[in-house]
Amino acid sequence: YWMFEETIKITDNSSDVAAARIREYLESKNNVLLNIAITGESGSGKSSFLNAFRDVEDDSEDAAPTGVKETTLEVKEYPHPNYPNIIFSDLPGIGTTKFPAKKYLKRVGFKKFDFFIIISADRFRENDAKLAKEIKKTGKNFYFVRSKVDHNLRDEQRKKDFSQEKTLAQIRDDCVKSLKDQGVESPQVFLVSSHDIHLYDFPHLRETLERDLPEHKRDVLLLSSPSIFPDIIEKKKKVFRRQIWGLTALSGVVAAVPVPGLSVGVDLALLVGAVTRYVTGFGLNVASLKRTASRTGIPYDELKAVLTSQLAAEHITHDLIMKVVLQVSSRAALMAAEEAFRFIPIVGIPASMALSAVTTYKFLKLFLDLLAEDAHRVSDKVLNKNK
């Protein structure tokens, strides 16, 4: 427990102080900054893509404006609604008088960006290729995204010999050829629809971005990804499961404070913080479920109806956690044993620490499993809506 003793030193006899320290610890794990740059010509679908990646509707208050003539003359930042430390930056178009290709990166402040996404609704043009070459010089990663492929497929469906696979291959080949002709080496192009993020190359793009990021930023991008993909849900679950060990050790350290009732209060504060992260990460909070309903066309009530945990679609409070905890009879016995062990000379505090760690681990794992199962139920509802 020594590393956590340095993180949280509780010398006050107040459970409020202990709870505040724990919240600080939990929040520190969510403060890794990720800044994503998105650029493209007017009409490329840049704003719709940005909104889809942030899991917000185009007509929501905090969405990037769509369907209007681009007038962006400076970098505009759009934080993720659940993770404000993830910032999507809408960059001005390249090649204008104010933003010529050679000076573009310097003027938009390229150093702060983790990677760049270059979007086009048709073939990538000379300025797109110039920008890619300039980004490459900085050592940062860039990705070509061909948007609105759903529009192309809809137009091609009128032909008698229509083949979705053939049409997508043709779009990809045309984009790659255009970039190669302009001197871009081995370009990779992702075909996406901002209205159907589970189709085409959107999942592959997400996996590629995740793989290319440094490890400490990989989890940040993962947790912000929409939880409509079963593999994403399982990856998120693994991230949260790894964090349980740290929280368990933290609970054990706090349990060493010999003040009756303090350990119980601190355990609840820890559980509230962790479960809130699970609910948000799996997209099971009310705001996220409503965004999913709006984006998919599935009524919110239908999505909520598939949930089985009392923790999903609720504001996580001490009372709610205690209500769920008390439904498991063994927990009350362990809490009582912890308080009793606390005042047994010599052996008492180590035993209390062990019991606190065991109970914390038990309930964090239980809550995580329940919420992951609910996330899978929502995913099944979304992915099978047209079947």
Side-chain angles (χ1 to χ4, degrees):
Y1 306 127
W2 64 270
M3 67 180 68
F4 295 97
E5 289 175 351
E6 291 303 312
T7 303
I8 298 181
K9 295 181 179 178
I10 301 178
T11 57
D12 196 295
N13 291 345
S14 167
S15 60
D16 291 338
V17 172
R21 298 288 178 85
I22 285 178
R23 281 196 297 272
E24 289 175 9
Y25 172 79
L26 291 170
E27 289 170 2
S28 71
K29 299 300 179 182
N30 277 336
N31 287 337
V32 177
L33 181 64
L34 183 64
N35 205 324
I36 301 169
I38 299 177
T39 185
E41 295 182 350
S42 177
S44 64
K46 178 176 56 172
S47 294
S48 292
F49 175 86
L50 188 153
N51 292 334
F53 219 115
R54 295 169 61 233
D55 197 26
V56 301
E57 277 294 285
D58 288 340
D59 58 357
S60 67
E61 291 184 3
D62 58 349
T66 61
V68 296
K69 183 176 180 181
E70 182 174 16
T71 58
T72 303
L73 299 177
E74 58 186 12
V75 177
K76 293 185 177 180
E77 297 183 345
Y78 297 91
H80 190 281
N82 289 336
Y83 297 92
N85 54 310
I86 304 177
I87 300 173
F88 297 80
S89 295
D90 183 1
L91 305 189
I94 187 174
T96 62
T97 302
K98 187 175 180 181
F99 294 95
K102 286 289 185 181
K103 298 181 179 180
Y104 182 84
L105 291 179
K106 184 176 181 180
R107 292 190 175 179
V108 299
F110 77 94
K111 290 183 179 180
K112 69 180 179 181
F113 300 118
D114 290 280
F115 57 83
F116 294 77
I117 294 177
I118 306 171
I119 299 181
S120 176
D122 43 57
R123 293 188 180 185
F124 291 92
R125 308 190 189 284
E126 181 181 2
N127 282 332
D128 298 319
K130 286 181 178 178
L131 177 57
K133 293 175 187 176
E134 292 299 316
I135 296 173
K136 187 174 182 179
K137 292 178 184 177
T138 70
K140 292 181 179 287
N141 290 328
F142 58 89
Y143 306 88
F144 293 108
V145 168
R146 170 57 160 80
S147 63
K148 301 183 180 181
V149 295
D150 52 328
H151 296 185
N152 301 107
L153 291 173
R154 188 164 55 246
D155 293 340
E156 290 294 315
Q157 282 178 341
R158 301 170 185 171
K159 299 180 180 179
K160 292 182 179 180
D161 60 345
F162 168 73
S163 165
Q164 176 171 302
E165 184 178 347
K166 185 182 296 184
T167 301
L168 292 174
Q170 183 62 54
I171 294 173
R172 192 189 313 278
D173 291 345
D174 287 347
C175 290
V176 169
K177 182 179 184 302
S178 175
L179 289 167
K180 284 184 175 179
D181 289 345
Q182 296 175 81
V184 179
E185 298 179 4
S186 304
Q188 183 177 15
V189 177
F190 298 90
L191 311 184
V192 307
S193 163
S194 297
H195 300 292
D196 298 293
I197 62 174
H198 61 291
L199 300 177
Y200 318 120
D201 289 340
F202 215 119
H204 181 40
L205 171 63
R206 173 187 47 75
E207 291 172 0
T208 302
L209 298 177
E210 183 184 328
R211 182 193 65 219
D212 291 350
L213 280 171
E215 186 174 356
H216 70 291
K217 295 197 174 189
R218 199 173 297 157
D219 288 349
V220 176
L221 180 67
L222 171 64
L223 293 178
S224 71
S225 299
S227 295
I228 63 171
F229 306 104
D231 66 313
I232 285 292
I233 295 171
E234 287 304 305
K235 285 182 179 180
K236 289 183 178 184
K237 186 176 178 181
K238 288 180 180 178
V239 170
F240 288 134
R241 188 179 291 153
R242 289 199 305 268
Q243 296 173 355
I244 287 178
W245 292 109
L247 295 172
T248 298
L250 181 61
S251 176
V253 171
V254 173
V257 181
V259 179
L262 177 59
S263 180
V264 174
V266 168
D267 281 345
L268 288 176
L270 188 150
L271 290 173
V272 167
V275 172
T276 299
R277 295 182 68 193
Y278 300 163
V279 171
T280 300
F282 287 130
L284 297 175
N285 54 320
V286 173
S288 293
L289 284 173
K290 287 184 175 179
R291 286 195 296 270
T292 300
S294 179
R295 179 168 291 280
T296 62
I298 301 174
Y300 169 76
D301 289 341
E302 290 188 20
L303 292 178
K304 188 174 180 179
V306 304
L307 305 176
T308 61
S309 170
Q310 297 180 58
L311 300 170
E314 295 290 344
H315 176 60
I316 307 302
T317 64
H318 286 64
D319 289 342
L320 177 60
I321 292 293
M322 179 59 80
K323 178 182 177 181
V324 178
V325 161
L326 290 178
Q327 289 177 355
V328 183
S329 59
S330 61
R331 173 56 173 166
L334 284 170
M335 278 186 171
E338 182 183 344
E339 291 301 323
F341 272 122
R342 184 181 302 283
F343 294 99
I344 298 176
I346 303 176
V347 178
I349 288 179
S352 177
M353 292 172 68
L355 281 168
S356 180
V358 168
T359 53
T360 298
Y361 178 86
K362 174 182 176 181
F363 282 99
L364 286 174
K365 186 176 183 300
L366 173 64
F367 295 156
L368 177 59
D369 290 342
L370 292 174
L371 291 168
E373 289 171 5
D374 270 347
H376 277 296
R377 292 186 182 93
V378 173
S379 171
D380 290 342
K381 184 74 174 179
V382 170
L383 297 180
N384 296 321
K385 69 171 183 174
N386 295 321
K387 294 183 179 180

